[in-house]
């Protein structure tokens, strides 16, 4: 299973925002996040539009404008962020009830990959932005 740049960049940007949240008097500009994380500003704008629609960030316009977390970092899971940018967390090739084989059948290893996808989903749901920013993942075993 491979997480695309959409999901990885969304998590990186949200972690950057969470880190700046406590020290920032004003909202954080996307251009600043883009520069620190070396992510295209236009790509971040697309991701943050999705994150805003899903209620994970709030935007402020005008001088001092930018983005803030919509809720505490400890209340936002990594899985929520990945899902907000429409990133699937599955490890199988199957789509919407159809199998991965030409005739629509499941492959021999389907259950293996489905179980792996479930473990990844559970793990990402158990990790919050606060965990990431606080460096609490080193040595942590998957749930």
């Amino acid at each position: 299973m491979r997480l695309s740049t959409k999901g990885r960049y969304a998590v990186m940007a949200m972690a950057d925002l969470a880190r700046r949240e406590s020290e920032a008097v004003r909202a954080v500009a996307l251009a600043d996040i883009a520069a620190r994380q070396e992510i295209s500003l236009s790509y971040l704008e697309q991701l943050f539009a999705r994150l805003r629609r899903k209620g994970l960030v709030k935007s402020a316009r005008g001088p001092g404008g930018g983005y803030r977390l919509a809720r505490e970092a400890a209340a936002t899971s990594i899985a929520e962020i990945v899902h907000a940018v429409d990133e699937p967390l599955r490890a199988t090739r199957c789509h919407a009830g159809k199998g991965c084989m030409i005739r629509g059948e499941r492959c021999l290893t389907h259950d293996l990959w489905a179980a792996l996808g479930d473990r990844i989903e559970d793990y990402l749901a158990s990790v919050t932005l606060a965990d990431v920013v606080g460096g609490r993942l080193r040595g942590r075993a998957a749930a």
Side-chain angles (χ1 to χ4, degrees):
M1 185 181 133
R2 183 167 179 250
L3 189 61
S4 78
T5 56
K6 207 184 323 182
R8 286 188 297 115
Y9 286 2
V11 171
M12 288 169 59
M14 288 288 285
D16 185 288
L17 185 60
R19 175 176 279 163
R20 305 283 183 254
E21 187 81 2
S22 61
E23 63 192 50
V25 175
R26 62 181 183 91
V28 179
L30 280 187
D32 294 340
I33 296 172
R36 281 190 296 270
Q37 298 303 319
E38 298 178 355
I39 301 171
S40 158
L41 178 58
S42 61
Y43 197 56
L44 269 186
E45 288 169 345
Q46 294 171 32
L47 294 176
F48 269 72
R50 292 176 182 201
L51 293 166
R52 188 176 47 76
R53 281 194 298 271
K54 295 294 183 174
L56 295 178
V57 295
K58 300 181 286 191
S59 62
R61 293 181 174 261
Y67 285 88
R68 292 188 174 279
L69 296 177
R71 59 182 186 248
E72 297 286 320
T76 303
S77 76
I78 301 306
E80 287 179 284
I81 297 167
V82 173
H83 287 301
V85 295
D86 297 326
E87 183 67 28
L89 288 174
R90 67 178 184 275
T92 65
R93 296 188 309 179
C94 301
H95 301 284
K98 298 177 183 173
C100 54
M101 305 298 283
I102 292 174
R103 292 185 300 251
E105 299 166 352
R106 287 182 170 188
C107 67
L108 182 61
T109 58
H110 174 86
D111 292 339
L112 170 69
W113 304 124
L116 175 62
D118 291 344
R119 293 287 304 251
I120 292 168
E121 175 78 34
D122 291 345
Y123 177 72
L124 293 180
S126 76
V127 176
T128 67
L129 273 178
D131 295 330
V132 173
V133 172
R136 293 188 286 270
L137 299 178
R138 286 190 185 94
R140 178 179 169 168

